[in-house]
Amino acid sequence: MLAKRIIPCLDVRDGRVVKGTRFINLRDAGNPVERADFYNREGADEIVFLDITASVEKRRAIVDVVEKTAEVVFIPLTVGGGIDSVDFMQELLNSGADKVSLNTAALKDPGLIQAGAERFGSQCIVAAIDARRTEHSSTGGSHSWEVYSHGGRTPAGRDVVEWAKEVEKLGAGEILLTSMDADGTLDGYDTALLAVVSDAVGIPVIASGGAGKLEHLYEALTDGKAHAVLAASILHYGTYSIAEIKEYLSQKGLPVRPVQN
Amino acid sequence: MSSLVIIDSECANLSSIYKAARFVNLDPVISDNPKIISAAEAVIFPGVGSFAHAASLISRKKLTSSLLETITAGKPFLGICLGMQLLFSRSEETILSSGIETAEGLKAISGEVKRFPEGLPIPHVGWNKVDPAFGHPLFKGLDSGVNGGSYFYFTHSYYVQPEKNENILGRTEYGFPFTSAVIKKNLFGVQFHPEKSGPAGLRLLSNFGKIIADIKY
């Protein structure tokens, strides 16, 4: 049976790991290669690097990070953040990334997902979607979520379900779905959002944003119907180890890949 | 002359396989030169992407005969993902995606490549167990039987269906048990990605290295 995946997400700026909440209070948290190797040894099922480097000139740094990580970490590596061309995807894949995650550039030009999927295969293309509840849904009534681009700063004027269906049709192999309402709160994933998107598409959905307790991960994987959970704060701050997370999920009856040493 | 050649199938996971092979102390070269491939003592044949694209690439690079020669000579040969699917007779993939009537493989193992049925999330992405059909050096030190096998990383929408049971080396459960590893003498194929399957994957690659060494001496 397919195991539920636990995926640490590392925010990387100028080649260094940074921690922060909603893009503020960033502080240096070390070497991304060492951090990725640490999580790999702890039993992570994949690693996601989110490049939040502001300037285009410094983008080479992430390629270097991927290259060095791929020498020592033999689990899937995904890179997201600022990827806006097939050539850059190629560069990242050549350096050892297994998947690239597309967000803002795909909203601007949905053809980028298709071009990437045709050239490298759907398994390489992750569509990252940031969504926020609409005002209507937060005041009661039926739920709906709007998609945002530019790291959550710009409303894209699209409904999350409609966009999720479109990225699937364009050839994305997975959806990385972040709830902007839940992100950084530690109050739990937006399971309603996860479920509505999971039901709408046939490709796997990765839950992101809001993990604070072990129950939250379980809820995302059951009520939210997610295939995998992305976690940042609870891992980076040492609240739980991946072994603890997996043991908890396993006791609750979910299939997980045991931590190997 | 290097003993282990990784076929340059221009796929995205080429560098990962190279790095993983190096990590378990193998000394591979990446090549698409038919002469180098023919002279190799062992071959790893990786691939991701579409069956039709990969099949046409192999014939355009004129690699078909050197690949088949290696297999016929009984040299250790490991196909990974699409590289395993290409060992089979034909695939459903092109019929669906490009309108081509038939997509022919290398026909080293009789059988077909089929798409997962509707109703399952496709692609099949993530870690799943591979239960070896029988004890074999390729799976030495890895789990089998009672606990259903060791976990490996998969990402694919098509699976192989060998005609003969004797070609089945491992099975995986995804809605139904499908063939996730195949064998024909020293020819092996795995649907999963050993280069991305953590300690279990590295063990399998190192086992493959041991098979090469045992044949050499």
Side-chain angles (χ1 to χ4, degrees):
Chain A
M1 200 198 249
L2 195 58
K4 302 293 184 185
R5 289 171 276 159
I6 311 300
I7 309 176
C9 178
L10 298 168
D11 287 354
V12 179
R13 190 176 60 179
D14 304 341
R16 298 286 292 176
V17 180
V18 289
K19 289 197 277 198
T21 316
R22 292 177 174 168
F23 299 97
I24 54 167
N25 298 326
L26 296 176
R27 57 192 173 91
D28 194 276
N31 178 319
V33 182
E34 286 167 14
R35 207 68 203 155
D37 190 33
F38 170 77
Y39 287 131
N40 173 40
R41 286 167 198 274
E42 265 207 320
D45 295 310
E46 295 185 26
I47 303 282
V48 169
F49 290 119
L50 185 61
D51 186 20
I52 55 169
T53 301
S55 72
V56 178
E57 304 84 68
K58 291 182 179 167
R59 282 272 147 75
R60 273 291 318 170
I62 193 70
V63 177
D64 189 48
V65 165
V66 172
E67 203 148 56
K68 289 191 172 124
T69 305
E71 299 282 349
V72 288
V73 174
F74 297 99
I75 57 175
L77 306 175
T78 302
V79 182
I83 300 169
D84 55 4
S85 71
V86 172
D87 286 347
F88 192 37
M89 291 182 212
Q90 177 92 68
E91 193 178 352
L92 289 164
L93 295 169
N94 285 350
S95 64
D98 299 281
K99 314 179 200 183
V100 289
S101 142
L102 307 174
N103 192 337
T104 300
L107 281 161
K108 221 182 278 174
D109 172 21
L112 194 61
I113 293 178
Q114 193 168 359
E118 280 173 5
R119 176 112 160 241
F120 311 114
S122 288
Q123 82 291 334
C124 280
I125 310 297
V126 179
I129 304 179
D130 296 338
R132 172 178 279 167
R133 285 184 185 234
T134 58
E135 278 176 35
H136 168 67
S137 72
S138 55
T139 55
S142 64
H143 294 318
S144 64
W145 291 262
E146 189 184 355
V147 178
Y148 280 68
S149 68
H150 298 87
R153 290 189 296 275
T154 314
R158 306 192 70 134
D159 174 71
V160 73
V161 171
E162 173 241 335
W163 177 235
K165 284 181 173 169
E166 189 174 336
V167 300
E168 177 182 32
K169 199 180 285 176
L170 289 165
E174 288 174 275
I175 290 173
L176 170 56
L177 183 57
T178 304
S179 160
M180 294 170 53
D181 305 290
D183 197 30
T185 63
L186 307 183
D187 289 336
Y189 296 89
D190 185 342
T191 51
L193 167 65
L194 292 169
V196 81
V197 173
S198 293
D199 284 339
V201 297
I203 55 178
V205 172
I206 303 163
S208 160
K213 292 180 185 159
L214 295 174
E215 295 92 291
H216 297 153
L217 304 171
Y218 178 76
E219 287 160 8
L221 295 166
T222 51
D223 299 343
K225 304 176 185 181
H227 279 227
V229 284
L230 198 77
S233 309
I234 57 163
L235 294 174
H236 302 333
Y237 294 107
T239 320
Y240 300 106
S241 70
I242 291 172
E244 284 171 318
I245 293 172
K246 287 194 165 180
E247 197 186 324
Y248 172 83
L249 295 175
S250 176
Q251 277 172 3
K252 297 276 269 178
L254 294 182
V256 291
R257 178 179 71 114
V259 176
Q260 295 165 302
N261 293 305
Chain B
M1 195 61 67
S2 177
S3 56
L4 174 61
V5 172
I6 297 173
I7 307 297
D8 184 0
S9 46
E10 292 177 10
C11 60
N13 60 339
L14 210 53
S15 78
S16 298
I17 290 170
Y18 180 78
K19 286 173 177 178
R22 300 265 307 188
F23 196 80
V24 297
N25 298 317
L26 299 175
D27 184 22
V29 291
I30 297 174
S31 176
D32 60 0
N33 180 330
K35 279 185 191 153
I36 292 177
I37 296 166
S38 295
E41 281 161 347
V43 163
I44 292 180
F45 185 30
V48 291
S50 83
F51 190 96
H53 177 79
S56 73
L57 187 95
I58 294 308
S59 81
R60 196 172 68 240
K61 288 190 171 191
K62 304 194 176 4
L63 301 183
T64 310
S65 59
S66 43
L67 288 175
L68 288 172
E69 205 178 287
T70 310
I71 293 166
T72 315
K75 294 174 182 175
F77 188 112
L78 176 63
I80 296 175
C81 196
L82 187 60
M84 149 166 127
Q85 295 183 0
L86 285 162
L87 300 172
F88 280 76
S89 317
R90 69 196 80 83
S91 173
E92 279 183 355
E93 187 170 1
T94 22
I95 302 165
L96 294 169
S97 60
S98 71
I100 300 169
E101 283 296 314
T102 49
E104 306 266 308
L106 291 169
K107 301 186 174 68
I109 297 177
S110 355
E112 284 194 13
V113 183
K114 302 173 81 75
R115 189 173 168 85
F116 278 118
E118 294 295 318
L120 292 162
I122 301 172
H124 170 230
V125 182
W127 296 79
N128 208 333
K129 285 178 178 176
V130 176
D131 192 11
F134 53 90
H136 189 278
L138 193 66
F139 283 91
K140 197 177 172 199
L142 295 162
D143 292 344
S144 66
V146 225
N147 50 11
S150 292
Y151 277 99
F152 289 89
Y153 186 78
F154 288 82
T155 174
H156 62 122
S157 301
Y158 295 79
Y159 66 97
V160 297
Q161 202 171 57
E163 256 168 38
K164 294 178 191 147
N165 276 342
E166 66 194 42
N167 294 134
I168 299 174
L169 180 58
R171 290 187 186 85
T172 295
E173 188 74 34
Y174 190 57
F176 62 98
F178 73 90
T179 300
S180 52
V182 294
I183 181 168
K184 190 176 177 184
K185 294 184 185 123
N186 287 319
L187 170 63
F188 310 102
V190 293
Q191 181 59 66
F192 51 86
H193 289 274
E195 77 281 9
K196 285 290 160 179
S197 295
L202 294 173
R203 178 66 201 251
L204 186 136
L205 287 175
S206 142
N207 287 344
F208 183 64
K210 184 79 175 25
I211 291 170
I212 302 171
D214 285 351
I215 283 178
K216 252 159 80 176
Y217 302 108

